[in-house]
Amino acid sequence: LYPVLEKAGDRTLLISETALGTLADICEACGYNSVQCLINENSDYLVNGISLNLRQLAYQPRASQVLDTMLRHSDASLLPLVEDVIQDVLSALDQSYNSQASTFLRVLHSVMTALVQWFGVPSAEEHQQRQTGKGQSRTRSQGQQEVAMTSQEVERFFLDYVRQKQIAEGDLPDLEEEEAGQCCAWLERSPSSDTEGEAPMPIHAQLARDVMERCIHLLSDGSLRVRLKVLDVLELCVSVLHPHGNHLLPMAHRVWPALVTRLISDDPLAVLRAFKVLCTLAQTCGDFLRQRFSKDVLPKLTSSLLSQAPVSARAGPVYSHTLAFKLQLAVLQGLGSLCERLDMGE
């Protein structure tokens, strides 16, 4: 099964499609209901092989393809089984940033894509339905809530408001490595998390946070290809951490300086990807980003659009195929909704 899964992750379409056909034949011959069933019931053997081969990636470069195929053809029940392997990948990346970063980033991209599919942000319709349901239940129990409102809850509300305002103004501890952990702890001790009884962070959110840690360090890599892949992975991490604001905000605080550099002084291709990450981040961290965005990014984007306007006004039909056009279009399409999410009415 291991070598067949390896071929199913091959970049050559003919090889990967034939391998998937072989997996279907194995399922039929061995009495499994589906490829997902086949992978899940043999995952312990597969994970062992992947773990061993990832330790000697220079000699076993295709170990990542097996993990990629497993993730693409399984569901969330696979996560506890592959969690240790993902931690192995992160540890190996820490030890070989220079030589193997690109290979490991492909693995992390597969992992985060799977996590977004399994635990990602709910669609707008689902979110609306939840809000409607909450509104109806709130109306039904309005009398009870009025009675239950206590001075402690009012105090909690205002403390939480002050905390959010401090975050929005950038009033957080310095970004030293030792203090970064204190920053997370400070935010996690907030009144809003107290009311939730300090619920433990789920596995998928912990993995997303660990991966985001690595992205912060790799965002300034010398290779454009690595930077682009890191930005893709970072966007997926933000989507997974979307419901966990207490953990996402400290990470966003740490990633912001490196992200700003990508937005204002990098290759146009990297700027385009970084702008996508910024738009995703704004969906969750509106108050937190407002002042930073208006001070660090908006002037640069505005001047870029103004300088590009005369060029695009005189441009012919070929201009629409250039990178400059794509960047200009992305900024024009995204800037309105971005300012709306950040509540920048002024």
Side-chain angles (χ1 to χ4, degrees):
L1 184 57
Y2 186 98
V4 175
L5 284 173
E6 187 179 287
K7 295 302 177 190
D10 199 284
R11 291 183 179 183
T12 306
L13 185 62
L14 182 60
I15 295 174
S16 61
E17 289 295 318
T18 308
L20 288 173
T22 305
L23 285 174
D25 292 342
I26 292 172
C27 288
E28 189 177 344
C30 299
Y32 291 101
N33 295 327
S34 63
V35 173
Q36 180 181 317
C37 214
L38 172 70
I39 290 172
N40 284 3
E41 292 191 26
N42 294 281
S43 57
D44 47 350
Y45 300 106
L46 294 167
V47 164
N48 185 52
I50 294 168
S51 188
L52 288 171
N53 289 334
L54 279 175
R55 289 171 194 163
Q56 40 184 340
L57 202 62
Y59 306 103
Q60 300 286 347
R62 291 179 180 168
S64 59
Q65 292 178 5
V66 183
L67 182 60
D68 182 33
T69 309
M70 286 177 69
L71 292 167
R72 277 192 288 113
H73 293 91
S74 192
D75 59 6
S77 62
L78 187 69
L79 183 58
L81 299 167
V82 298
E83 184 192 357
D84 289 342
V85 172
I86 297 167
Q87 291 295 347
D88 287 346
V89 171
L90 293 173
S91 300
L93 176 59
D94 291 339
Q95 294 164 12
S96 56
Y97 271 124
N98 299 330
S99 54
Q100 300 286 350
S102 188
T103 304
F104 285 122
L105 281 169
R106 277 202 300 274
V107 181
L108 296 181
H109 189 270
S110 302
V111 170
M112 296 314 303
T113 303
L115 293 184
V116 167
Q117 288 172 351
W118 299 340
F119 309 99
V121 183
S123 66
E125 290 178 9
E126 289 174 15
H127 183 69
Q128 186 64 38
Q129 287 171 0
R130 285 182 190 175
Q131 292 301 322
T132 307
K134 284 179 186 174
Q136 289 170 351
S137 62
R138 194 179 294 120
T139 306
R140 283 196 298 270
S141 59
Q142 191 175 8
Q144 295 173 359
Q145 284 185 350
E146 284 174 1
V147 174
M149 180 62 78
T150 63
S151 61
Q152 285 88 352
E153 286 174 335
V154 174
E155 184 185 1
R156 271 197 212 105
F157 170 79
F158 283 107
L159 285 172
D160 195 37
Y161 173 77
V162 170
R163 181 180 65 86
Q164 294 289 349
K165 195 167 186 302
Q166 286 175 331
I167 292 170
E169 292 169 356
D171 184 14
L172 288 172
D174 292 335
L175 283 176
E176 299 297 330
E177 286 299 325
E178 312 87 44
E179 294 178 2
Q182 295 172 6
C183 169
C184 293
W186 175 64
L187 283 169
E188 285 164 20
R189 286 198 303 271
S190 68
S192 59
S193 61
D194 288 344
T195 58
E196 294 164 6
E198 295 292 343
M201 201 176 179
I203 294 174
H204 65 274
Q206 289 175 20
L207 287 174
R209 188 180 61 184
D210 291 343
V211 172
M212 203 166 172
E213 285 268 2
R214 274 67 179 188
C215 290
I216 293 170
H217 303 300
L218 284 168
L219 264 177
S220 54
D221 192 273
S223 164
L224 174 62
R225 188 177 168 190
V226 169
R227 293 200 302 276
L228 293 175
K229 184 63 79 174
V230 170
L231 287 165
D232 286 341
V233 174
L234 186 61
E235 187 180 5
L236 294 169
C237 290
V238 172
S239 297
V240 174
L241 283 172
H242 186 280
H244 306 278
N246 281 348
H247 298 279
L248 178 57
L249 288 177
M251 296 306 296
H253 174 67
R254 292 182 56 198
V255 82
W256 182 250
L259 185 63
V260 168
T261 307
R262 302 284 72 77
L263 277 163
I264 63 176
S265 58
D266 205 335
D267 187 276
L269 205 54
V271 175
L272 189 59
R273 301 276 180 94
F275 188 73
K276 279 181 64 184
V277 175
L278 178 64
C279 292
T280 306
L281 207 53
Q283 292 176 6
T284 307
C285 313
D287 293 339
F288 170 77
L289 287 182
R290 187 187 304 123
Q291 189 173 351
R292 293 160 188 250
F293 173 73
S294 58
K295 189 176 85 174
D296 300 336
V297 180
L298 190 57
K300 177 68 178 177
L301 289 180
T302 310
S303 64
S304 173
L305 287 173
L306 288 171
S307 64
Q308 198 64 26
V311 179
S312 57
R314 295 192 305 270
V318 180
Y319 179 67
S320 63
H321 298 284
T322 63
L323 196 54
F325 168 84
K326 290 174 184 174
L327 181 57
Q328 188 181 13
L329 181 64
V331 172
L332 287 170
Q333 285 179 333
L335 204 53
S337 58
L338 186 63
C339 290
E340 204 171 31
R341 286 194 197 107
L342 299 180
D343 196 22
M344 295 177 66
E346 73 278 8

